[in-house]
Every structure is written in C-alpha cells, then in structure tokens.
Amino acid sequence: AGKDDLHLRRAPLAAVVREAAEPHLGRGKRVEFTLAPAAGAAGRQPLVPRRPEIIHGLRNLIQNAVDFAASTVWVDIAWGPQTICVTIVDDGEGYPPHLLGRIGDPFVRDRRGPAVPARPEYEGMGLGLFIAKTLLERSGAELAFANGSDPFLSREERPARSGAIVEVRWRAADLVVPED
C-alpha cells in the first residue's frame, strides 16, 4: 500500500502500442507491427507513459483500420531523437477523398466499404475518429489522415498498403519518460 509501481505508469513504446491493439488482434484480420528506430535514435525503445488517453486513442484508430481492412493492418512504430511516430495503414478502400480534410471532426461518417461483419447493426456516427483525435491531441500528438492509393486505380493496380493511413506524431521531448 502506498507504493507507486513505475511499471504500471510507463512502458516501452511498442508495448504501449501493442496494448492498444490487443482487443483487435483476433478479429480475422492480420495486424503486423514494425519497429523502425531513426538514424541517431538510441538503441532501445523509448519509455512512454501508459496513459489512458494514449492507449484508448490508438485503440480507436486500430479498431477503425481493422473494421475497414480487406485483410491486413500495418502498425509502424518509429522513434528518433526528435519525434515518435505511430502510423496505422490498412488495405481497405481508404477514406472518401472529399472528406479527407474533415476526418476527425464529429459526425463525419462516410467511410466506404461493406458493412462491418463484426458489427452489422452498427452504422456509426463518426465519433470514433473524433474521440481518438481529441484524446491523442491532448497527449501532445499531431494527427494526419491520408489514403495510400489513388482511388481510381483498380484493385489489382493498387499497392498492398492502399487504404486509409493515420499518422500520429509526438515530439519526443513531450512523450518520452526518462529512465531515471
């Protein structure tokens, strides 16, 4: 009683991202994680806070990618001396181009694709991305939304990472927890 367990408050970057993804790993889509330290990065992953807004925000983004992926979601985890970046990409249809500038606003919900088999009765109100964006921005992150491919290409012409892309970027000084 009264002891503060530092292991509960901080963890390596990949462990926090994996914790966020955990509920969506067994939902019929492949989720691939890659670690990419930038040139000049320390050899070990940085320790980051296990704050609920970071975990829940990333969880919402990964859930969205799994919901709309055809078969695969990629979660790229990168860090360097100045920045930490988590990029989530799926192989679905991507965001409607006319909504890209409004992704993350409340009540924007026109993501193309079939009904989500795991939640066929759920149509959504566009609040998941808004909540994720708000939570992550409160942690100091900046988010960018894009598509991985030209929507006019045929399915065969598209690269594997052709769907929606979300990049979450923090300044390392704002997120990294010192190792003591």
Side-chain angles (χ1 to χ4, degrees), residues 92-94 112 149-160 162:
E93 293 297 315
R112 291 176 297 193
S149 176
D150 183 334
F152 297 107
L153 293 176
S154 70
R155 179 48 94 179
E156 295 76 34
E157 296 173 310
R158 293 180 184 175
S162 61

Side-chain angles (χ1 to χ4, degrees), residues 5 7 28 30-31 36 41 46 48 53 64 66 70 82 125 129 133 140 147 167-168 172 176 180:
D5 191 350
H7 295 292
R30 191 171 68 238
V31 180
V48 298
E53 61 269 26
N64 200 57
V66 168
Q82 303 300 318
M125 295 174 48
L129 287 175
K133 184 175 184 275
N147 285 324
E167 182 181 86
V168 184
V176 174
D180 300 341

Side-chain angles (χ1 to χ4, degrees), residues 16-41:
V16 171
V17 174
R18 183 129 181 126
E19 180 179 352
E22 194 67 36
H24 306 294
L25 296 181
R27 294 186 45 220
K29 308 286 173 72
R30 191 171 68 238
V31 180
E32 296 182 9
F33 296 89
T34 59
L35 301 177

